[in-house]
């Protein structure tokens, strides 16, 4: 990850708007297909075809040899779960994370969805994690600091008895999937308040919240990250442009979230 934060010109923001909107649109199409019996491999194939038909390409496939279009992380899986032939079951929670490249600019977003009816505790985890993202986006104000975003996530997650993952973070995004700055979902003692947020910054903000402790481990496939204690985990992500008027969420569809 480069350490200089690259500010985007208005014409670049227009391209980023298109790539991120396409990610939101694809996720919405996927969400309509999520139900018991469907496999995450079917969702992956759908997503890749959907992108390619629209002149885009998957952002994750081939990135550090990641083999799929989607990350599909079920229940105790935190992020980077491989799509598979295992059918989704009633009561699962499924994180769908997807990136797309349009005219060389990246889009990135994630949402965690219930599969059929889920437990009240799973419902609460999804709601609180989504609220963490909403609060983090609202904290992304010009003239503020990066730590405002981190703090918004951590406060809300911990106030609800959950924990935030430490080993994965959000990121700047543009002509690369991962640019500076890294965006932790927690405050790091000694790291200060971080850089000042400025118009032209484009940030992928992605709270990962665990129902149990914050630790994760990576499975033998070398990608799938699961909670160390086996508790549920949720993940939501928006790509957001900082403007002089405040945060502008690029991964919305017709002004609406997923
Ligand atoms: N949304 C995640 C991220 O921005 C997904 C990356 S998956 C990878 O880091 F395969 F591309 F690494
Ligand atoms: Co991301």
């Amino acid at each position: 990850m480069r350490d200089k934060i690259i500010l985007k010109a208005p014409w670049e923001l227009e391209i980023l708007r298109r790539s991120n909107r396409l990610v939101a649109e694809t996720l919405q199409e996927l969400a309509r297909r999520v139900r018991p019996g469907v496999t995450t491999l079917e969702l992956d194939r759908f997503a890749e075809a959907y992108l390619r038909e629209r002149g885009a390409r998957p952002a994750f496939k081939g990135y550090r040899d990641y083999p799929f279009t989607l990350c599909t992380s079920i229940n105790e899986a935190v992020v980077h779960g491989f799509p598979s032939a295992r059918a989704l079951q009633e009561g699962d929670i499924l994180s769908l994370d997807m990136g797309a490249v349009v005219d060389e600019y990246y889009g990135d977003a994630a949402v965690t969805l219930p599969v059929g009816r889920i437990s009240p505790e799973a419902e609460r985890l999804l709601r609180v994690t989504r609220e963490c993202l909403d609060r983090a986006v609202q904290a992304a104000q010009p003239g503020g600091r990066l730590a405002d975003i981190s703090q918004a996530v951590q406060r809300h997650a911990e106030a609800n008895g959950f924990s935030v993952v430490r080993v994965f973070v959000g990121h700047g995004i543009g002509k690369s999937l991962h640019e500076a700055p890294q965006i932790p979902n927690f405050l790091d003692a000694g790291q200060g308040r971080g850089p000042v947020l400025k118009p032209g910054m484009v940030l992928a903000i992605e709270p990962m919240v665990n129902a149990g402790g914050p630790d994760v481990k990576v499975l033998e496939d070398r990608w799938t990250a699961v909670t160390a204690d086996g508790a549920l985990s949720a993940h939501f992500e928006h790509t957001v442009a900082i403007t002089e008027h405040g945060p502008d969420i690029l991964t919305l569809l017709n002004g609406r979230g997923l």
Side-chain angles (χ1 to χ4, degrees):
M1 196 174 285
R2 317 240 322 238
D3 42 30
K4 195 131 173 53
I5 301 178
I6 303 169
L7 299 182
K8 275 75 183 181
W11 66 268
E12 294 181 287
L13 288 176
E14 288 318 307
I15 305 177
L16 282 160
R17 212 174 277 290
R18 286 196 282 129
S19 55
N20 280 288
R21 199 183 153 83
L22 178 58
V23 170
E25 186 183 312
T26 310
L27 284 174
Q28 188 178 59
E29 287 299 320
L30 289 166
R32 300 189 326 124
R33 288 164 172 77
V34 169
R35 59 189 138 71
V38 168
T39 74
T40 46
L41 212 44
E42 287 165 349
L43 297 175
D44 188 75
R45 281 194 289 261
F46 172 86
E48 179 166 0
Y50 196 88
L51 291 182
R52 295 205 191 274
E53 279 160 19
R54 286 156 183 79
R57 68 174 173 85
F60 301 167
K61 199 170 187 172
Y63 178 87
R64 297 184 178 202
D65 292 330
Y66 186 78
F68 297 100
T69 296
L70 299 180
C71 298
T72 56
S73 307
I74 300 169
N75 297 337
E76 74 282 3
V78 179
V79 286
H80 305 162
F82 280 2
S84 83
R86 166 200 182 287
L88 293 171
Q89 288 174 29
E90 177 104 25
D92 285 342
I93 59 171
L94 168 66
S95 153
L96 293 173
D97 187 358
M98 202 192 75
V101 189
V102 173
D103 293 345
E104 293 178 59
Y105 285 81
Y106 284 74
D108 190 6
V111 62
T112 303
L113 300 165
V115 180
R117 278 183 64 89
I118 61 174
S119 70
E121 185 61 1
E123 289 270 13
R124 194 172 73 88
L125 177 67
L126 297 198
R127 176 178 57 76
V128 169
T129 308
R130 186 188 282 275
E131 288 166 356
C132 285
L133 176 58
D134 294 342
R135 286 167 181 238
V137 168
Q138 286 320 310
Q141 298 291 339
R145 295 272 183 172
L146 191 72
D148 301 344
I149 297 173
S150 309
Q151 188 167 14
V153 174
Q154 184 172 29
R155 266 216 186 120
H156 191 58
E158 292 180 355
N160 282 279
F162 298 140
S163 66
V164 292
V165 171
R166 306 301 204 265
V167 292
F168 300 108
V169 296
H171 50 96
I173 182 168
K175 285 186 90 162
S176 307
L177 176 60
H178 296 145
E179 293 181 358
Q182 293 195 16
I183 310 174
N185 293 305
F186 58 96
L187 290 180
D188 213 345
Q191 213 170 262
R193 302 292 301 171
V196 175
L197 303 175
K198 296 194 178 118
M201 287 183 180
V202 179
L203 307 175
I205 300 174
E206 45 183 319
M208 288 152 264
V209 175
N210 294 349
D215 293 345
V216 310
K217 61 182 187 191
V218 176
L219 300 184
E220 301 88 272
D221 65 18
R222 304 180 50 145
W223 277 99
T224 309
V226 300
T227 55
D229 58 13
L232 293 177
S233 184
H235 175 213
F236 286 83
E237 176 177 22
H238 269 316
T239 293
V240 177
I242 306 218
T243 77
E244 55 185 306
H245 309 293
D248 183 359
I249 303 175
L250 304 185
T251 37
L252 289 181
L253 206 55
N254 307 320
R256 290 203 46 232
L258 285 158

